[in-house]
Amino acid sequence: MRSRRTTGVAVGIAVLVLGAGTAAGANRAPAAAPPGITIEPAPDSPDEAQFVAGASNFVPATAAPATDIGPNKVQSLAAPVYTCPGFSGIEKTNPLANLYSDRFAWGPYAWVKVGTGRGNINWASNPYKNASWYMWFHSLRWLGQGIVAAGKGDLVALTRVNTIAYDWYRDNPYSWKGNIGAWESTMHRTNVLICLRQAILSGLQVTTLPIRYAWLDAALLSHARFLTYNWSGAWNHGTDESIALFGVGVTLNRSDYKNLAVQRLGAGVTTSIDAQGGTNEQSTGYASFNYTLWGRAIAVLQNGGYSVGTTMSTRRALLGKFLALATNSMGMLPQIGDTELRPTYPWPGTPMEYAGSLGTKGTAPLWRVGIYSAGYVFGRTGWGTDPARGFAGESAYSIRYGPGRAFHGNFDHTSITYTARGRDIVVDGGYAAYNAGAYRTWSVGPTAHSVMTTPMSTYLNPVTRLTAYSVRSNAESYVFADAPGAGISRLRSVLVLKDPDLLVVWDRASAKTAQAFQTLWHLPPDQRASVYSRTTAVAMASGDTSKTILFQVPFKQALPAGAILVKQAQTNPIQGWQYPSSYVRKSAPTLMLARSGKTASILSFVVPVRASGTVTYSVRQVGTTFIVYLNVGGKRTAIAISGGGSLYRAG
């Protein structure tokens, strides 16, 4: 917050912004209220700030760019338009009454008085010491309700939002790059300024911006300059920036801004969404956001008089297929990377329509398994077209592998999520807020995931290879290999069965020095887990119709005392928690299958059954093949491990 300046052009602006009447010579508004500005709601932006202080926020475009985007060769009679994208829901907790008293509220935090009560704001405010709170404060999206009211002719609202927005412009002169919250929110603030400009024209019912609001075009030019020289590259932030830059180009009729934005969108789309439809952000939540974001990019270019060609729509359609395959049998996206628990949106006419509607709308996809080189495996027993199963009666799973952690990813390689019998069976540790301290470190780290960990060694963020896989009608198998720590090799074989539905996982590892080897299974927070022996534990929610039996079979290694343990709500070390959303932490059971030494072999079974169901098994060695015969609630099957180490269904 700065004292008011009294010299130069700022005098005229500072005085004039206090009144919101029409400019001299402008047409006066009639008695009837104007209809207001048009808002094309943008996708809800991720709540958390994405920039890391002191780190590079630029993601280079590494793939060949799309070259089929450009101005339409045939000019339309309709003038180019850029529609206000809305305020991403942040305006909902900031009603007009709060704006009139300079109050700001965001996320889980109570409102805070951030100004003098007259629109003179302290832009250094950050009472909760939260980067996300501060970033959204500087975005100006909290002015949304006032801007909407202003567009309908509410001159009191127009005065207040104009005063606050101008106060930001005057108190944060170009360049604000040294202020990370102001920097990161530039694209959002650019859109808010465009929306405010539209509200002024609509509310005053004029076609030209009155002179008293000339600061607004100057502010848009400074924001466009900043976006020109500070592109974040090929990820969601860079896409959002390019869209906003294009918006300034349309608003101020600047072809240079539009053409630069188009060039960047073409460069970014092929890296942001690869040729299979996987994103580079290592998060299902951000994949969903990118789907809506690229949809907005396509609409913005078309409305702005540009041809989008086919590359953008093709890549976006492939991302839609990715999201449909990722959808579990409860209609939810698995919490991979920085992802809050959320349903898949049933976009009409896409595979997500069927997946997100739990099979009640659209057409069942033709594919059941997806393997993505970006580091994902998604699979399911079916899409619920069998009436005996239905959508929720199917099982679905995800497995992570691939490049090392980056962007919004976690240290989660080989991690598994699993749903069956209409409920979560194996979950991820979830998404802790960036300011959650040690809990954020835990939620990103390997021990928050269903993997084999080596806690005595430093995790090396390895590249994990998918070395073999097989997809059959009643079973899928995968083998993953990596080196999670110095001198440590790790193999995970995963076998997913249908009828009976269950998981079999064989973890083995070797190390040059003695290690603690721990295979972790993270269970849903509504369940209570109990250990019955060093082989078996059972997890069940009170009153539920099903339960999960998790057991290990000795193979190539005897089971020591304490071979299976339950860890829940631990604080040192942190274990046994689950974050369905950034600011909600729940106690949740984690089963730990433990070994120690230089080698480990852990063969575990995750079997969902009805509440009264049972599982029995017997083992047999046939030559070099080890066979486990299973009876799961009356359904018999067998799995085998060959002498060469192949895990497969044998019956």
Side-chain angles (χ1 to χ4, degrees), residues 19-106:
T22 56
N27 297 327
R28 292 186 177 276
I37 63 174
T38 301
I39 294 179
E40 182 66 37
D44 283 349
S45 297
D47 285 339
E48 294 291 297
Q50 300 179 59
F51 279 11
V52 178
S56 172
N57 301 298
F58 177 72
V59 178
T62 56
T67 58
D68 54 354
I69 310 170
N72 276 325
K73 295 180 180 179
V74 179
Q75 294 298 312
S76 170
L77 294 177
V81 296
Y82 182 82
T83 306
C84 171
F87 311 99
S88 196
I90 293 173
E91 80 283 4
K92 294 176 183 177
T93 56
N94 293 280
L96 278 171
N98 280 16
L99 300 188
Y100 293 145
S101 56
D102 293 345
R103 297 173 177 178
F104 170 62
W106 175 81

Side-chain angles (χ1 to χ4, degrees), residues 288-607:
S288 178
F289 175 60
N290 273 293
Y291 184 85
T292 52
L293 189 60
W294 282 104
R296 173 163 171 74
I298 291 170
V300 161
L301 293 182
Q302 290 173 332
N303 292 336
Y306 277 64
S307 170
V308 297
T310 60
T311 303
M312 289 175 65
S313 57
T314 299
R315 291 294 174 103
R316 183 172 182 253
L318 289 168
L319 178 56
K321 177 181 177 181
F322 172 97
L323 289 165
L325 279 165
T327 305
N328 65 30
S329 55
M330 299 166 66
M332 310 292 286
L333 290 174
Q335 286 186 269
I336 297 175
D338 290 343
T339 299
E340 294 189 323
L341 190 62
R342 64 172 62 193
T344 296
Y345 187 81
W347 289 91
T350 75
M352 291 179 288
E353 181 177 22
Y354 189 89
S357 70
L358 306 180
T360 62
K361 297 178 181 178
T363 304
L366 299 177
W367 4 265
R368 191 173 56 81
V369 174
I371 300 171
Y372 290 88
S373 58
Y376 304 86
V377 174
F378 301 119
R380 59 198 313 114
T381 52
W383 288 102
T385 53
D386 179 356
R389 277 184 173 263
F391 193 94
E394 303 285 5
S395 299
Y397 60 93
S398 71
I399 313 173
R400 278 282 289 129
Y401 73 105
R405 177 185 181 262
F407 310 114
H408 294 288
N410 290 175
F411 296 114
D412 59 358
H413 283 188
T414 74
S415 182
I416 298 171
T417 69
Y418 187 51
T419 58
R421 303 186 67 85
R423 64 162 296 117
D424 284 314
I425 304 299
V426 178
V427 299
D428 185 85
Y431 178 20
Y434 291 175
N435 68 328
Y439 284 92
R440 168 66 181 175
T441 301
W442 170 81
S443 71
V444 171
T447 58
H449 309 285
S450 294
V451 301
M452 172 186 269
T453 65
T454 51
M456 292 172 57
S457 66
T458 299
Y459 193 73
L460 296 182
N461 190 21
V463 172
T464 302
R465 295 173 294 116
L466 173 61
T467 62
Y469 68 90
S470 171
V471 176
R472 296 163 53 191
S473 61
N474 63 355
E476 292 92 64
S477 63
Y478 310 93
V479 181
F480 304 92
D482 62 17
I488 302 172
S489 63
R490 178 176 66 171
L491 288 172
R492 165 163 278 195
S493 296
V494 180
L495 178 63
V496 188
L497 269 62
K498 176 181 180 179
D499 291 328
D501 293 7
L502 58 89
L503 291 176
V504 186
V505 175
W506 180 29
D507 287 319
R508 58 268 200 211
S510 63
K512 294 181 179 179
T513 58
Q515 299 286 331
F517 298 100
Q518 299 171 352
T519 290
L520 305 175
W521 291 105
H522 289 267
L523 306 179
D526 65 329
Q527 289 188 328
R528 181 173 180 267
S530 301
V531 173
Y532 285 86
S533 68
R534 66 178 63 183
T535 64
T536 306
V538 177
M540 184 175 176
S542 177
D544 204 351
T545 59
S546 63
K547 63 185 177 184
T548 300
I549 299 176
L550 194 148
F551 63 96
Q552 53 185 329
V553 174
F555 179 60
K556 293 184 177 294
Q557 192 174 46
L559 302 186
I564 185 167
L565 304 167
V566 177
K567 304 292 182 179
Q568 186 159 355
Q570 283 189 180
T571 58
N572 188 22
I574 294 172
Q575 188 55 278
W577 303 94
Q578 209 273 333
Y579 279 86
S581 61
S582 299
Y583 293 92
V584 177
R585 183 175 72 239
K586 294 184 177 182
S587 169
T590 299
L591 290 179
M592 177 188 293
L593 312 184
R595 305 287 192 275
S596 62
K598 292 185 178 182
T599 62
S601 174
I602 302 176
L603 178 61
S604 54
F605 295 72
V606 180
V607 189

